[in-house]
């Protein structure tokens, strides 16, 4: 038998067990006959079950107050150790769902505890934060800009343009203007706006954009953390500081701190620097109107500084309009809140918008440097993490794509031509206000390697002509019309791309018909007739010949046969921005009424040079902040804009323009080149855009008074400029292009364009006299009969004074073999879009894309259609 034998049953008659059993009997319940109930089961598992008299006896024998199954105990249950639970939840003594309804004591205690923690935390937070020191706040550093080779271009910015002044040197007018515009309750509030804080916290907590404080106190605190990451943690810290300032610091101290640390544009931090930058006076000498202006600028210097800012929405014209409107509103607001007398307001409004002194840019931004920095800044601020205000604080090292030798070559080409061609003293009524702009892009990368923006900031010319939208591009737009016809086809080609051998009527004053075959109507209701530059009768010519001579009529008709929307799609795919395109669906759209910048035109033509591969232009390769790399400046990805065979055929046509057409001055380059001339109506602008396999460069010439204000700023005619009747793209712009490209490509290998394969079907315009043979044209470019020089292109006589014997803008005169081309025609306005163009089909292109060349490394062909369809 095992040692661990089972204990024998103990006696029920005595001992402690008996005492316990006796204690468990209810009073008044005897143990008479038939009511004996054992208080426990036999110790042995195999013992016989005890017998009960009946169910009632069993219930009476059971101790009262036994908790239901699954309950920790009844009401007042003391738990395992005999003590009450700290938190009675779920509630004891309640059944079902009532157990989960908290008592008022629990709710009240929890709420009180929550607010106690919040108050304690806030108290600790407020006590632990310090107050801002305006002498340490918003201290700007230099931004260092580098050339493409890593050498320093310029260090600009810095913290010297800031001076702390006490409140008694800040005019009352400035304080009134800021309070009226930004924080009417400043004198009475406690430094915070609870509603504004709630909005900001909810916005950030839900993933929305960060929001700044709305009170002057909060904005002062925000200024001290302008270069810090705007997170919820940062906002909570700023809130504590604002509360502390609102309860412990005098209002005059807060006001002085805010005005001494705010950024006003023009590299000016603080009211004293701003007064000097805009009005060349001390802050205490500002009048209320000037104060209202500076209060307006505080709304956002990048958008309210009349000099202009960074981005397409911050042009000088747009900024001045916003600033004028805001200035008038601030004066009205001061009257509304009782801080200015209405008569005083009316006097300042009658005097007009405050005049400002010229912006003297930081030392080192002379010549083209200012424009290069301007373009690089604009590119940098496209990065989501770098605002214009953060960039103004400095500390960034910005490596650009600009190559100093090429920039110098472009400046020399422009200045040599300008100095030899213009004489403002001799011809002041014609030669003044002539502006030059140019840009050069690396075909293989899209990198901006050089630009010419104007005379320079040091000559008080702040408009960047290389990046200015507003100058019509003229006939340089025609290649997009032809490319669309090659890609999409016309009404006459059954949806198939057409060949450049297709013939169109080229006679002057030909009636242009819409897609329904009906004549367009001029403004007087008569059929619209398109003008060429000369009345010469050309008859029907091929599109290749029409491009070579830059005849207007064929392209005015072709755009209706193709469809305006398809031309826009092609232009956009090569990098032309929507906002720079003329929105009209008339005949003139084909002739260059759109106004892309020189940068965009150079980049767009680079797409043709790259066999249809588009690369977005970029000007910055890397950015560092205090030595740490900033992400987001990788090289832009390339995309397929058109089939390689279409792009290569455009290049072949534009090579013919250089060899035998309106762009023959570019032949002096001495290597394969393609390009197009452009001249606009009334001779208000002239362009040459051309490229080699390595570089694409655009040059523009126009007249505009840089000092004109608002609507007075307009393009002027260039007739008689330089002593000639009219200026064409094949003259001055082509000469500048050639001189620059010759120097920029010096020492590089001569590369040839890919051979263009024959594509498309011959689809003559309606009315062509005879059917065109279906045989494919010869791939070689046939020499054309040189057109006679236009009588309007009378060259000025050579001048004395040591000028070079071969003037850059008259390169053709130095080489008798060079053929002088005719002018390329101006835009003729008129004609509506009766019938429309049908638009692009949803989800894809019309017709079939041209077959792929099959040449290695040249994407396109059948794959291109899906890319274009998805994009456009």
């Amino acid at each position: 038998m095992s040692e661990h034998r089972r204990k024998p049953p103990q006696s029920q008659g005595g001992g402690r067990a008996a005492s316990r059993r006796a204690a468990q009997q209810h009073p008044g319940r005897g143990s008479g006959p038939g009511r004996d109930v054992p208080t426990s089961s036999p110790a042995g598992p195999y013992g016989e079950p005890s017998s009960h008299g009946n169910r009632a006896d069993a219930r009476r024998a059971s101790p009262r107050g036994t908790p239901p199954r699954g309950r920790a105990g009844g009401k007042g249950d003391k738990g395992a150790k005999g003590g009450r639970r700290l938190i009675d939840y779920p509630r004891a003594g309640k059944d079902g769902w009532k157990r989960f309804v908290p008592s008022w004591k629990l709710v009240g205690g929890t709420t009180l505890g929550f607010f106690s923690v919040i108050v304690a935390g806030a108290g600790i937070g407020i006590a632990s934060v310090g107050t801002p020191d305006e002498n340490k706040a918003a201290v700007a550093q230099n931004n260092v800009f580098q050339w493409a080779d890593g050498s320093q271009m310029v260090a600009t910015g810095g913290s010297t343009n800031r001076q702390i002044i006490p409140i008694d040197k800040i005019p009352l007018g400035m304080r009134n203007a800021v309070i009226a515009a930004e924080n009417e309750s400043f004198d009475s509030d406690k430094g915070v706006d609870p509603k504004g804080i709630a909005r900001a916290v909810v916005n950030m907590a839900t993933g929305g954009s960060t929001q700044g404080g709305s009170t002057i106190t909060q904005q002062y605190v925000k200024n001290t953390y302008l270069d810090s990451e705007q997170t919820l943690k940062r906002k909570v810290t700023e809130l504590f500081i604002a509360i502390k300032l609102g309860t412990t610091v005098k209002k005059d101290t807060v006001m002085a701190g805010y005005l001494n640390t705010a950024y006003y544009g023009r590299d000016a931090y603080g009211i004293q620097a701003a007064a000097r930058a805009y009005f060349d006076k001390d802050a205490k000498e500002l009048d209320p109107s000037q104060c209202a202006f500076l209060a307006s600028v505080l709304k956002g210097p990048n958008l309210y500084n009349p000099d202009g800012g960074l981005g397409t929405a911050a042009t000088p014209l747009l900024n001045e309009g916003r600033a004028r409107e805001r200035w008038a509103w601030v004066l009205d607001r001061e009257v509304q809140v009782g801080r200015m007398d209405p008569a005083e307001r009316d006097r300042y409004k009658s005097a007009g918008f405050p005049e400002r002194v010229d912006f003297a840019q930081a030392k080192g931004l002379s010549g083209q440097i200012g424009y290069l920095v301007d373009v690089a800044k604009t590119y940098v601020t496209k990065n989501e993490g770098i605002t214009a205000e953060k960039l103004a604080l400095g500390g960034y090292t910005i490596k650009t794509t600009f190559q100093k030798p090429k920039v110098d070559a472009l400046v020399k080409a422009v200045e040599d031509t300008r100095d030899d061609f213009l004489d403002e003293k001799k011809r002041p009524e014609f030669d003044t206000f002539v502006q030059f702009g140019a840009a050069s892009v690396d075909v293989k990368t899209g990198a901006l390697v050089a630009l010419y923006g104007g005379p320079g900031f040091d000559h008080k010319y702040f408009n960047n002509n290389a990046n200015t939208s507003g100058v019509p591009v003229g006939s340089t737009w025609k290649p997009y019309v032809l490319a669309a016809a090659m890609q999409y086809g016309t009404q006459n080609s059954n949806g198939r791309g057409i060949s450049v051998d297709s013939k169109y009527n080229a006679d002057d004053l030909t009636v242009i018909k819409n897609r329904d075959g009906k004549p367009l109507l001029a403004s007087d209701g008569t059929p619209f007739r398109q003008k060429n530059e000369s009345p010469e009768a050309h008859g029907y010519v091929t599109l290749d010949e029409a491009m070579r001579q830059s005849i207007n009529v064929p392209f005015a008709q072709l755009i209706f046969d193709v469809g305006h929307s398809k031309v826009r799609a092609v232009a956009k795919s090569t990098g032309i921005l929507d906002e720079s395109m003329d929105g009209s669906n008339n005949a003139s759209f084909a002739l260059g009424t759109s106004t892309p910048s020189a940068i965009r035109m150079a980049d767009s033509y680079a797409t043709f040079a790259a066999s249809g591969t588009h690369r977005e232009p970029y000007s910055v390769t890397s950015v560092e902040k205090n030595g740490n790399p900033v992400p987001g400046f990788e090289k832009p990805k390339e995309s397929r804009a058109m089939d390689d065979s279409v792009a290569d055929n455009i290049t072949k046509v534009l090579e013919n323009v250089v060899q035998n057409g309106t762009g023959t001055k570019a032949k002096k380059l001495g290597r394969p080149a393609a390009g197009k001339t452009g001249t606009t109506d009334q001779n208000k602008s002239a362009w040459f855009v051309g490229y080699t396999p390595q570089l694409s460069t655009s040059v523009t010439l126009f007249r505009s008074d840089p000092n004109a204000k608002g609507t007075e700023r307009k393009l002027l005619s260039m007739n008689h400029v330089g002593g000639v009747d009219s200026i064409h793209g094949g003259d001055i712009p082509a000469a500048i292009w050639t001189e620059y490209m010759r120097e920029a490509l010096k020492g590089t290998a001569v590369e040839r364009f890919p051979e263009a394969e024959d594509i498309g079907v011959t689809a003559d315009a309606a009315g062509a006299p005879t059917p065109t043979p279906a045989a494919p044209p010869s791939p070689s470019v046939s020499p054309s009969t040189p057109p006679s020089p236009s009588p309007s292109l009378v060259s000025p006589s050579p001048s004395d004074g040591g000028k070079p014997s071969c003037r850059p803008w008259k390169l053709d005169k130095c080489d008798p073999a060079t053929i002088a081309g005719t002018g390329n025609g101006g835009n003729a306005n008129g004609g509506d879009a009766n019938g429309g163009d049908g638009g692009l089909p949803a989800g894809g292109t019309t017709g079939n894309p041209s077959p792929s060349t099959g040449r290695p490394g040249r994407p396109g062909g059948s794959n291109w259609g899906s890319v274009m369809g998805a994009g456009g």
Side-chain angles (χ1 to χ4, degrees), residues 429-452:
E429 70 275 28
F430 300 119
D431 288 6
T432 55
F433 306 141
V434 177
Q435 308 296 337
F436 298 81
S440 188
V441 171
D442 187 316
V443 167
K444 295 178 174 60
T445 65
L448 269 169
V449 297
L451 59 80
Y452 183 89

Side-chain angles (χ1 to χ4, degrees), residues 143 146 177-178 189 230 322 327 352 397 449 454 474 521 557 619 680 688 743 756 767-768 780:
N143 284 321
Q146 298 176 336
V178 171
D189 64 36
Q230 293 295 293
R322 282 188 287 262
W327 165 79
T397 298
V449 297
L521 298 180
Q557 182 60 59
S619 57
T680 57
F688 185 80
E743 185 65 26
S780 60

